[in-house]
Amino acid sequence: PALWYIDARSDRNVGQFTEKFMKSCVSPRVIGEEMAAVESLARSSDQLTVSGSAESGVMTCTYAVDEVQACIQVKLPDVYPLRRMEVSHPKRAGVSEDVLRAWETKMLAAVFQQDGSVANAVSLWSENLTKHFEGVEPCPICFSILHPTTHAIPDLTCRTCKQRFHGACLYRWFRSSQNSTCPHCRSVF
């Protein structure tokens, strides 16, 4: 949420007025535009379909490859973008819960910390699934196939264990651990 909104909520009258104004004048249009952008993304993809309505603020995105389907449900609150969207995973399609949680965190960060759109977040999820189904293993540091900011796949390989990492994740690991050992097997990288 916007920092000014967090401050505005401290004054009950201002907070209520802001939410009422957003619900009636701003949020319906923003939600409609976000849903239209996600629907446009789905039309340009062979694997992605979207259903839902702007009135409910709920959209279901389904990714299908062969006979495998993964599904996320995105709920935009009635005062969006003042409050965060919610993401749930009705169909996991063989993706572990930890990996889905990491992807969800990256999706939310893309929308709220990097000023992205819901379509950007759904695209990131779809790209992660594409890479997942193509056999690319996720980075064992961030549990994501595509790095959330660089959108790169894990490209640095440990010579000992052959585990692959995102360059940015590995750099962060080296900095935080204060040594240059593999996070997986602890051999010198």
Side-chain angles (χ1 to χ4, degrees):
L3 293 177
W4 65 266
Y5 175 65
I6 294 170
D7 290 339
R9 285 191 308 188
S10 63
D11 181 336
R12 186 174 180 200
N13 291 332
V14 172
Q16 287 176 343
F17 174 79
T18 302
E19 286 195 8
K20 185 176 178 181
F21 175 75
M22 290 296 288
K23 282 181 190 178
S24 62
C25 299
V26 178
S27 293
R29 182 175 178 167
V30 172
I31 291 170
E33 289 173 0
E34 291 284 7
M35 295 202 65
V38 173
E39 288 167 354
S40 176
L41 174 69
R43 282 192 297 276
S44 67
S45 170
D46 294 333
Q47 292 96 5
L48 188 63
T49 58
V50 176
S51 62
S53 72
E55 292 78 31
S56 68
V58 177
M59 66 181 98
T60 302
C61 305
T62 304
Y63 181 94
V65 174
D66 298 325
E67 295 179 15
V68 178
Q69 287 188 340
C71 184
I72 59 169
Q73 193 170 56
V74 177
K75 181 172 183 349
L76 301 175
D78 58 358
V79 292
Y80 182 82
L82 293 182
R83 294 204 180 133
R84 290 179 163 252
M85 68 180 190
E86 297 173 14
V87 179
S88 61
H89 309 276
K91 292 183 183 176
R92 294 183 9 208
V95 180
S96 75
E97 190 66 35
D98 290 341
V99 170
L100 284 174
R101 250 185 268 121
W103 290 356
E104 179 181 332
T105 301
K106 305 301 182 198
M107 289 172 63
L108 294 172
V111 173
F112 291 103
Q113 294 173 357
Q114 300 167 7
D115 294 328
S117 67
V118 175
N120 291 63
V122 171
S123 177
L124 182 63
W125 171 75
S126 176
E127 290 172 19
N128 273 318
L129 281 168
T130 298
K131 298 297 181 188
H132 179 78
F133 290 129
E134 286 178 356
V136 175
E137 292 292 326
C139 171
I141 297 172
C142 71
F143 298 104
S144 185
I145 293 168
L146 294 174
H147 191 272
T149 54
T150 65
H151 298 286
I153 61 172
D155 57 350
L156 297 176
T157 306
C158 174
R159 291 182 186 138
T160 305
C161 68
K162 307 297 184 212
Q163 188 69 50
R164 298 178 71 93
F165 305 90
H166 295 123
C169 293
L170 201 54
Y171 176 72
R172 190 176 69 237
W173 168 265
F174 291 163
R175 231 184 28 219
S176 68
S177 68
Q178 297 179 349
N179 62 41
S180 58
T181 59
C182 172
H184 190 256
C185 71
R186 303 288 190 218
S187 65
V188 176
F189 208 83

